[in-house]
Amino acid sequence: MTVRFTRRTAGCAAVLAVCVVLPVLALAQDRVLVVGSGSTFRPFGFVTPDKKLVGFDVDLMNAIATHQGMRVRFESTPFTSIFPALENGDRDIVVAAITNTPARRERADFSNPYMVAQLSVLLGPGVTAASLNDLKTRRIGVALNSTADTSVSEAFGRTSPNVRRFENTPLMLEELNQGGVDAAVGDVSVLSFYQRNNPEKRFKLLPDVRFAQAYLGIAVKKGNKPLLDRINAGLRHTIDSGEYARLHLKWFGTAAPQLPVTIPN
């Protein structure tokens, strides 16, 4: 049997193709996006006693998603798993106080800045120092594979016995609290938050000019420009509307900083 392929049948085929493709596209746009977020990095992301993931990162991403009409579901993601999770598709977005660095840009695409990322040193009770160099004979805690780990390793050597690496920031800070390390190096927002919530310990925050200013960004899989564009648009609206300033005051207790639209060269 021979089927005659006329202009009319071609038109019907085209209509059928459109009818099939459009629902697929709609489903792709409507699907829930999985957002990886940290659960051990107060006040950016942490788990409450009733097992809820909360924090500045969570509130910020929810505000962006609301503006862009995106449905999102948060999943606690260890920092060491962030980039593999993006690369293998387990996470669509990661917002976990990630410092945007050249090395990390090789593995993921980053949004415009949403926070200044400045390293600092938190000194234990009775410890005195004017800079990081004064601590070369002291026990220094860092979170494994963090920017603090990189900076302290560059200063004192990767194999220095005085550098103590912890799986996450709470473990590092608990060790500082117990006197197991003399100082901890990490993000200034996190360290100052911990200092304010433990006034009886008399910790001292020590900024150091050797730590270059950087920025935090929201990460997506490399090449996913449509999703990145929506995140940037939602972030811009959140900042311009004043919602960002409200969230910053809620979680950090301070006025929001001025942010560049893109990362300065």
Side-chain angles (χ1 to χ4, degrees), residues 78-149:
F79 198 83
T80 53
S81 302
I82 283 174
F83 297 108
L86 280 175
E87 290 163 345
N88 65 26
D90 285 344
R91 303 290 185 271
D92 300 292
I93 303 167
V94 174
V95 53
I98 313 170
T99 303
N100 184 339
T101 67
R104 288 172 178 170
R105 287 196 293 273
E106 293 180 2
R107 301 192 66 180
D109 288 338
F110 283 84
S111 72
N112 294 333
Y114 75 87
M115 179 74 78
V116 175
Q118 183 76 51
L119 291 178
S120 190
V121 182
L122 191 61
L123 301 176
V127 178
T128 59
S131 70
L132 181 66
N133 286 337
D134 294 337
L135 298 170
K136 60 185 175 183
T137 61
R138 295 279 198 168
R139 299 163 300 172
I140 303 173
V142 295
L144 182 67
N145 294 330
S146 64
T147 50
D149 187 359

Side-chain angles (χ1 to χ4, degrees), residues 56-74:
F56 177 78
D57 281 347
V58 176
D59 281 358
L60 178 64
M61 190 64 232
N62 274 325
I64 292 170
T66 297
H67 178 260
Q68 288 294 300
M70 298 187 296
R71 293 191 298 155
V72 295
R73 173 170 57 85
F74 290 86

Side-chain angles (χ1 to χ4, degrees), residues 41-243:
F41 208 55
R42 292 175 181 264
F44 288 95
F46 58 98
V47 177
T48 64
D50 58 350
K51 308 302 181 184
K52 287 183 62 178
L53 187 61
V54 299
F56 177 78
D57 281 347
V58 176
D59 281 358
L60 178 64
M61 190 64 232
N62 274 325
I64 292 170
T66 297
H67 178 260
Q68 288 294 300
M70 298 187 296
R71 293 191 298 155
V72 295
R73 173 170 57 85
F74 290 86
E75 291 285 349
S76 175
T77 307
F79 198 83
T80 53
S81 302
I82 283 174
F83 297 108
L86 280 175
E87 290 163 345
N88 65 26
D90 285 344
R91 303 290 185 271
D92 300 292
I93 303 167
V94 174
V95 53
I98 313 170
T99 303
N100 184 339
T101 67
R104 288 172 178 170
R105 287 196 293 273
E106 293 180 2
R107 301 192 66 180
D109 288 338
F110 283 84
S111 72
N112 294 333
Y114 75 87
M115 179 74 78
V116 175
Q118 183 76 51
L119 291 178
S120 190
V121 182
L122 191 61
L123 301 176
V127 178
T128 59
S131 70
L132 181 66
N133 286 337
D134 294 337
L135 298 170
K136 60 185 175 183
T137 61
R138 295 279 198 168
R139 299 163 300 172
I140 303 173
V142 295
L144 182 67
N145 294 330
S146 64
T147 50
D149 187 359
T150 301
S151 294
V152 172
S153 295
E154 289 174 352
F156 301 129
R158 182 73 189 177
T159 59
S160 170
N162 292 326
V163 179
R164 311 291 172 85
R165 295 176 177 85
F166 298 87
E167 184 178 345
N168 56 52
T169 298
L171 291 176
M172 173 187 74
L173 292 174
E174 180 59 25
E175 193 73 3
L176 178 68
N177 193 37
Q178 297 297 325
V181 293
D182 302 304
V185 180
D187 184 273
V188 65
S189 299
V190 174
L191 297 186
S192 60
F193 180 86
Y194 187 77
Q195 180 190 34
R196 286 197 306 272
N197 284 277
N198 294 275
E200 75 286 353
K201 282 295 186 176
R202 300 185 183 278
F203 294 123
K204 181 181 177 183
L205 199 62
L206 174 67
D208 193 317
V209 294
R210 73 173 292 125
F211 298 131
Q213 182 170 282
Y215 298 91
L216 304 184
I218 300 169
V220 302
K221 188 174 183 177
K222 282 197 73 68
N224 196 345
K225 188 175 185 301
L227 179 56
L228 192 64
D229 288 345
R230 294 180 73 184
I231 291 172
N232 279 330
L235 176 60
R236 188 72 259 159
H237 172 81
T238 303
I239 293 172
D240 292 344
S241 68
E243 178 68 4

